């Protein structure tokens, strides 16, 4: 792998603030590029991965290697609990080993930012790396439940079914049926929203309990 400072286009004498500013600049550029079509998108993803690995090395270099992995995760958890997700992400970026635990914590940060698809992708990686970890598998199951409810369209329920007015009832009955049906749909929407909110709350609590 190339010298991490060369990847940033900076010298080893650069200040920590200058290094971070350059890292943030490149991260924003490559993060946008990776969503482009074709080879340019693939190149953006590769450069972003290389950048993150190099930044992790630079972070360790700046800190003199005094931080341990356990200490890093403790800080990640502390930042998550306080709602400082930028600092939590920076702590994660500084951890060089991208194992199942790393991807699990990354999924929590993404979840807290309400990036559910990205959170799920990280949980999938965590499960793949540690297939016997029940905590990871249960978190993935609950997140799938949340995403299923979040993407459900309660208004589509019952479409295609015939109502009583299709069988020749008078206009007044048709109007009453339409009102009743509308009320039933509204109740269904409320129920679906409640289920989704409950699932999200339960998943969030479960994931944070798993930080210990």
């Amino acid at each position: 792998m190339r010298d991490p400072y060369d990847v940033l286009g900076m010298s080893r004498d650069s200040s920590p603030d200058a290094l971070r500013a350059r890292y943030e600049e490149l991260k924003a550029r490559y993060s946008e590029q990776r969503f482009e079509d074709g080879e340019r998108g693939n190149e953006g993803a590769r450069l972003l991965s290389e950048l993150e690995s190099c930044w992790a090395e630079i972070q360790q270099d700046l800190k003199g290697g005094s931080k341990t992995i356990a200490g890093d995760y403790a800080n990640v958890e502390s930042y998550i609990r306080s709602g400082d997700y930028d600092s939590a992400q920076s702590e994660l970026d500084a951890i060089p080993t991208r194992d199942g635990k790393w991807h699990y914590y990354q999924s929590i940060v993404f979840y807290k930012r309400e990036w559910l698809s990205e959170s799920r992708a990280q949980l999938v990686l965590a499960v793949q790396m540690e297939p016997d970890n029940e905590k990871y598998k249960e978190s993935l199951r609950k997140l799938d439940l949340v995403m299923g409810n979040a993407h459900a369209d309660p208004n589509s329920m019952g479409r295609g079914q015939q109502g009583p007015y299709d069988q020749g009832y008078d206009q007044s009955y048709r109007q009453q049926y339409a009102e009743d049906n509308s009320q039933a749909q509204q109740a269904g929407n409320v129920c679906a929203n409640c289920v989704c909110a409950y699932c999200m709350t339960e998943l969030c609590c479960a994931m944070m309990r798993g930080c210990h």
Side-chain angles (χ1 to χ4, degrees), residues 174-210:
R174 295 185 185 188
Q175 182 177 357
Q176 183 62 45
Y177 178 81
E179 293 175 355
D180 292 345
N181 190 49
S182 176
Q183 292 175 357
Q185 286 190 351
Q186 290 176 7
N189 290 345
V190 171
C191 180
N193 290 336
C194 289
V195 169
C196 182
Y198 171 79
C199 290
M200 294 186 73
T201 301
E202 178 65 18
L203 174 60
C204 184
C205 292
M207 292 178 79
M208 291 309 300
R209 285 195 299 269

Side-chain angles (χ1 to χ4, degrees), residues 22-196:
R22 179 59 173 167
Y23 160 72
E24 295 291 351
E25 176 190 349
L26 292 176
K27 182 178 181 179
R29 180 191 304 174
Y30 298 150
S31 294
E32 182 176 353
Q33 180 181 338
R34 65 177 172 166
F35 292 112
E36 297 183 16
D37 294 332
E39 184 57 35
R40 181 167 172 78
N42 294 333
E43 178 68 5
R46 186 191 68 77
L47 290 172
L48 181 61
S49 178
E50 180 184 45
L51 176 66
E52 295 292 3
S53 296
C54 290
W55 180 244
E57 287 192 25
I58 291 174
Q59 286 285 84
Q60 291 298 314
D61 188 21
L62 293 175
K63 297 170 184 177
S66 59
K67 269 194 165 182
T68 64
I69 296 301
D72 283 341
Y73 282 123
N75 287 333
V76 170
E77 180 179 344
S78 177
Y79 284 129
I80 291 174
R81 292 186 181 279
S82 66
D84 188 353
Y85 307 133
D86 288 338
S87 295
Q89 186 63 63
S90 294
E91 289 290 336
L92 277 173
D93 292 340
I95 299 175
T97 303
R98 305 298 168 92
D99 54 10
K101 186 176 184 178
W102 188 94
H103 288 290
Y104 178 72
Y105 274 90
Q106 181 66 84
S107 75
I108 296 177
V109 173
F110 283 160
Y111 181 84
K112 288 291 190 176
R113 293 184 185 274
E114 299 183 4
W115 299 348
L116 299 189
S117 296
E118 290 83 353
S119 177
R120 185 184 187 281
Q122 293 298 320
L123 273 178
V124 168
L125 287 173
V127 171
Q128 289 175 345
M129 291 182 173
E130 298 184 31
D132 295 329
N133 192 308
E134 294 299 327
K135 177 176 66 178
Y136 298 171
K137 291 192 290 185
E138 179 66 9
S139 295
L140 180 58
R141 185 192 70 79
K142 289 183 177 179
L143 182 55
D144 282 339
L145 181 62
V146 167
M147 294 180 71
N149 278 280
H151 290 214
D153 181 8
N155 292 320
S156 67
M157 296 175 65
R159 285 182 181 171
Q161 297 178 357
Q162 291 187 339
Y165 52 79
D166 293 320
Q167 302 172 12
Y169 283 71
D170 60 22
Q171 184 64 33
S172 62
Y173 191 92
R174 295 185 185 188
Q175 182 177 357
Q176 183 62 45
Y177 178 81
E179 293 175 355
D180 292 345
N181 190 49
S182 176
Q183 292 175 357
Q185 286 190 351
Q186 290 176 7
N189 290 345
V190 171
C191 180
N193 290 336
C194 289
V195 169
C196 182

